[in-house]
Amino acid sequence: MTPIALTIAGSDSSGGAGIQADLKTFAALGVYGASVITALTAQNTTGVSGIHQVPAEFITAQIDAVFSDLAVGAVKIGMVAQPASIDAIVAGLTRWSPKHVVLDPVMVATSGDRLLAAEAVDALRTKLIPLASVITPNLPEAAALLDEPIATDEAAVENQGKRLLAMGCRAVLIKGGHGQGAESTDYFIDAGKTITLAAPRVATKNTHGTGCSLSSAIAAGLAKGENMETAVRNAKAWISAAISAADRFSVGRGHGPVHHFHKYY
């Protein structure tokens, strides 16, 4: 069978993040990609200048169209900016029961622009996180979900991860790209263990879409039949290489994209 992954996320008009990054990631990793668009953004490498919400009933229509025809192996959820969108997604996932759900709780863009309305945060915590196979917050997002300061050491990160796990998801990957030091260390936490995944920190400003792409890479691995730990490890290695190759591109005047197809050109 053809491995198929679905991204439920916002569109990035500049192509570096959102569903564009997700579909590039799926293609780079040998997975057929489908999409449900939750919002349109007017966006480039320097920032977000506008957000147009897709009505909840049309999100529902997209979800039903995809699942009624395609054998979706894994779902990645990214930008869900309003409570009505979250309700539509929760209802759709409950109706179709996909095997794997990767939730990237996108709250702030690389440029610093807020992408999640304050009133949607509680719905994310209470309705969407319990349906997730794994959630992939970065350090600021993990802190925001728990309404507390950003963790600054390994013990604090692990503690936050365990409390996020208690919200109902089956695993948590806290991404350390916003941390300091020579290595960028991510922390994978499930009911039985904590695994640290380190990679050399790359000195580049071209990190637009990193979080979107990492969560999509995990979904791609799960769609291909990898177990969760293997999918996370492979995704970490792939995104690290995509960041390392990002400076081969010259795209935009701000935070440029990672190189999704670094294996090929």
Side-chain angles (χ1 to χ4, degrees):
M1 286 182 61
T2 302
I4 299 172
L6 167 65
T7 169
I8 303 176
S11 167
D12 171 7
S13 53
S14 70
I19 62 149
Q20 288 84 350
D22 299 339
L23 293 173
K24 290 172 185 177
T25 300
F26 295 158
L29 294 172
V31 172
Y32 181 87
S35 63
V36 167
I37 300 177
T38 61
L40 306 177
T41 68
Q43 183 176 173
N44 59 30
T45 63
T46 66
V48 180
S49 57
I51 298 175
H52 178 72
Q53 303 291 348
V54 173
E57 60 270 19
F58 197 71
I59 293 174
T60 296
Q62 293 176 80
I63 290 172
D64 290 345
V66 172
F67 276 102
S68 65
D69 187 39
L70 277 60
V72 176
V75 176
K76 172 263 168 79
I77 302 171
M79 180 185 174
V80 285
Q82 57 183 352
S85 302
I86 292 174
D87 288 342
I89 294 165
V90 168
L93 295 179
T94 303
R95 191 160 54 251
W96 293 105
S97 300
K99 184 176 181 182
H100 301 291
V101 175
V102 180
L103 173 60
D104 184 24
V106 180
M107 303 172 90
V108 179
T110 301
S111 58
D113 293 285
R114 190 173 182 88
L115 297 174
L116 183 69
E119 63 270 20
V121 176
D122 193 54
L124 187 73
R125 287 188 191 113
T126 60
K127 297 178 180 179
L128 213 43
I129 285 178
L131 296 179
S133 309
V134 60
I135 66 172
T136 62
N138 58 34
L139 287 167
E141 288 162 349
L145 286 169
L146 294 165
D147 198 21
E148 62 185 50
I150 296 172
T152 56
D153 59 58
E154 186 170 331
V157 174
E158 185 173 3
N159 185 268
Q160 287 190 346
K162 288 179 177 177
R163 281 180 292 123
L164 289 170
L165 204 61
M167 290 183 179
C169 54
R170 298 205 295 275
V172 178
L173 179 69
I174 297 182
K175 301 171 297 190
H178 286 72
Q180 304 297 320
E183 291 187 320
S184 173
T185 303
D186 299 347
Y187 297 84
F188 176 72
I189 300 147
D190 64 15
K193 59 187 176 301
T194 298
I195 298 171
T196 57
L197 302 166
R201 191 176 298 279
V202 179
T204 178
K205 68 172 185 174
N206 295 325
T207 55
H208 187 56
T210 304
C212 304
S213 302
L214 175 61
S215 56
S216 295
I218 296 170
L222 294 171
K224 291 191 287 188
E226 296 171 2
N227 64 40
M228 182 63 72
E229 183 180 332
T230 300
V232 168
R233 287 184 181 277
N234 287 344
K236 170 71 171 179
W238 178 84
I239 194 63
S240 297
I243 296 168
S244 293
D247 287 355
R248 293 185 207 164
F249 280 150
S250 177
V251 177
R253 294 177 291 107
H255 294 282
V258 301
H259 193 342
H260 294 89
F261 297 103
H262 56 273
K263 290 183 181 178
Y264 306 105
Y265 67 90

